[in-house]
Every structure is written in structure tokens, then in C-alpha cells.
Amino acid sequence: MSEKKSCIFCEIINDKNKARIAYEDEHTLAFYDINPVALIHIVIVPKIHLANVNELEDSNIDFVASMFTAAKNVAFTLKVNSSGYRLVINNQSSAGQTVFHLHMHFLAGRDFFWPPG
Ligand code: AMP
Ligand code: ZN
């Protein structure tokens, strides 16, 4: 995969940094967030370095599809598919993005509110 130096998520994908893996396939890795904001907080990342949704191209469609496959798989594996879960993608700093490698937050294990803060 295309890797970016000094990207913490590229390091986790390439086994240069540790994470507790929740799901993996050819295109995607899902691991537990180091600073969880819910009982279950997993980060789902494509195995390609894209800063955020802004950098997605048509050729990246398999990575996007796999991120959702990962989310569904995690939901059923952790048995929160019925109780509920929230998927969040923060794009750019004002939206709360702090790690600039595209990722989807998988949040479950508590109630969530709308609109989000
Ligand atoms: P965001 O603020 O949307 O960019 O989300 C980045 C998320 O990555 C935050 O929830 C961080 O707690 C999480 N995070 C940062 N570094 C690590 C790491 N080494 N392992 C697991 N999660 C991380
Ligand atoms: Zn990266």
C-alpha cells in the first residue's frame, strides 16, 4: 500500500506500531481506539494513505466498500448490530479530525445524541 512517513495509522497498518486489531481484510484494518469515547470505540482505516474523504478517487472504491464491510462485521461480531452503533468520519480540523489518514469511528455501548457536538 502507499504509505506516508510519520502517519500513525500507516505505522499500525505496516506493523511498525501496536494496536489491538478488531477486524482485517485485504483493504481495511480495524483496531481499538487508544482514547475511547464509548464502551466500544474502534477505528476503521483503509490500507492506503488518504488524508480524508477529500482525497478519495473512483479507483479507491474497494477501500470504501471494505470500510463498511468492516463496520458490519464488527457490529455482528461484538453483538451490537441490534442495540445500535454510530459510524463517524471527521474531515478536517474544524470537524474534529486529528489524524490525517482517512478513518471511520465505530462507536457503540452507550446512547448517542443528535445533533452531535
Ligand atoms: P479523529 O479525531 O477523527 O482524527 O480521530 C483520530 C482517533 O485516532 C482518535 O480517536 C484517537 O484517539 C485515535 N488514535 C490516535 N492514535 C492512535 C493509536 N496509536 N492507536 C489507536 N487509536 C489512535
Ligand atoms: Zn497513513
Side-chain angles (χ1 to χ4, degrees):
M1 67 147 240
S2 60
E3 181 183 356
K4 187 166 189 266
K5 277 187 183 159
S6 77
C7 170
I8 182 67
F9 289 175
C10 282
E11 286 182 10
I12 290 171
I13 291 164
N14 291 307
D15 233 7
K16 292 174 186 158
N17 223 301
K18 280 190 185 157
R20 185 176 157 213
I21 307 301
Y23 173 89
E24 181 167 17
D25 64 27
E26 184 188 348
H27 298 293
T28 307
L29 186 67
F31 50 88
Y32 283 81
D33 198 290
I34 203 169
N35 187 22
V37 298
L39 207 57
I40 297 170
H41 187 173
I42 289 165
V43 183
I44 300 171
V45 305
K47 290 181 175 177
I48 182 175
H49 184 87
L50 301 165
N52 54 38
V53 167
N54 290 343
E55 294 193 352
L56 274 174
E57 295 179 4
D58 290 354
S59 59
N60 303 137
I61 189 71
D62 288 348
F63 292 93
V64 177
S66 286
M67 289 171 73
F68 281 93
T69 299
K72 178 183 172 180
N73 194 288
V74 167
F76 278 80
T77 300
L78 298 183
K79 298 184 170 49
V80 295
N81 53 298
S82 294
S83 52
Y85 54 97
R86 179 170 285 186
L87 304 176
V88 176
I89 299 178
N90 298 323
N91 292 279
Q92 305 291 43
S93 305
S94 65
Q97 186 174 13
T98 58
V99 176
F100 286 80
H101 179 128
L102 175 64
H103 54 281
M104 178 190 280
H105 295 264
F106 181 105
L107 302 161
R110 66 169 169 86
D111 289 337
F112 298 98
F113 302 96
W114 196 262

